[in-house]
Amino acid sequence: TGASVSRFLLEEGSFDTADGTLRWQGADVEFTSRLATGAVAVDGSIEPFELANDEGSMRFGKIVMEIDQRRSGYGFNVGPGEFTLDAGLGVELDGITVTDARQAISMGSMTAKGDSWIADERLSGNASFAMTDIEVPDFGTVAVDVDMEMQRLDARSLGVLIRAVQEAQAADDP
């Protein structure tokens, strides 16, 4: 059937190099694919991790992924998907402002999710993207919240366009 299930499992640990240190708290992500149907599923999480050196650090909160898509009869996948970065992102670097002081950029959380489906040969879907509590030095706190929706796109025509782009990308001189 061409189906496969893979699991990425990583215990807590760290790795040091001359350029810095990577520390992680673990991960558990399952990938499922079915070649015959084009179905793809991802379910799992990557626990918080940090990259650090003498010049600063970058910290990521827990990442959660849930994707359950299937291949449509038009050559592209449809279905739900969600990606969440909890407790956000923290970046602390030397010298990013004119005062040359250590500054921090941080974000509360980030979520991207969407769903798509085909009914009566028409593609519809929705998507949202949100980032909260983005702290930017010398600027303040901002947030981003975007919602999008598409309704009744011609699935057959979209499939033709996608195949044409893929063929152009695969060409020796795209």
Side-chain angles (χ1 to χ4, degrees), residues 111-156:
T111 301
K113 62 182 172 180
D115 195 2
S116 59
W117 58 92
I118 295 175
D120 299 324
E121 296 191 1
R122 299 292 180 169
L123 173 67
S124 297
N126 55 58
S128 64
F129 177 78
M131 291 176 20
T132 63
D133 302 322
I134 306 164
E135 296 286 340
V136 181
D138 301 325
F139 184 78
T141 303
V142 295
V144 175
D145 197 358
V146 178
D147 290 309
M148 299 173 280
E149 184 176 312
M150 62 181 172
Q151 293 184 1
R152 301 190 45 78
L153 296 176
D154 185 274
R156 186 178 317 278

Side-chain angles (χ1 to χ4, degrees), residues 10 34 42 48 52 85 90 94 101 110 120-121 130 132 136 145 168 170:
L10 179 66
R34 290 179 180 76
V42 179
L85 174 59
D94 281 334
M110 180 179 71
D120 299 324
E121 296 191 1
T132 63
V136 181
D145 197 358

Side-chain angles (χ1 to χ4, degrees), residues 14-23 50-56:
S14 65
F15 182 76
D16 294 313
T17 71
D19 295 323
T21 300
L22 170 63
R23 288 189 248 342
E50 176 183 30
L51 301 157
N53 64 20
D54 294 339
E55 296 177 18

Side-chain angles (χ1 to χ4, degrees), residues 53-119:
N53 64 20
D54 294 339
E55 296 177 18
S57 66
M58 182 178 289
R59 295 173 306 282
F60 293 85
K62 182 177 183 176
I63 299 170
V64 178
M65 298 161 280
E66 293 180 35
I67 299 168
D68 187 14
Q69 298 192 337
R70 66 196 176 288
R71 181 65 44 117
S72 72
Y74 304 98
F76 54 86
N77 283 17
V78 294
E82 184 168 353
F83 173 91
T84 302
L85 174 59
D86 289 333
L89 166 71
V91 178
E92 194 172 288
L93 299 170
D94 281 334
I96 65 168
T97 66
V98 292
T99 60
D100 216 31
R102 181 167 283 238
Q103 297 288 316
I105 299 171
S106 65
M107 178 182 67
S109 66
M110 180 179 71
T111 301
K113 62 182 172 180
D115 195 2
S116 59
W117 58 92
I118 295 175

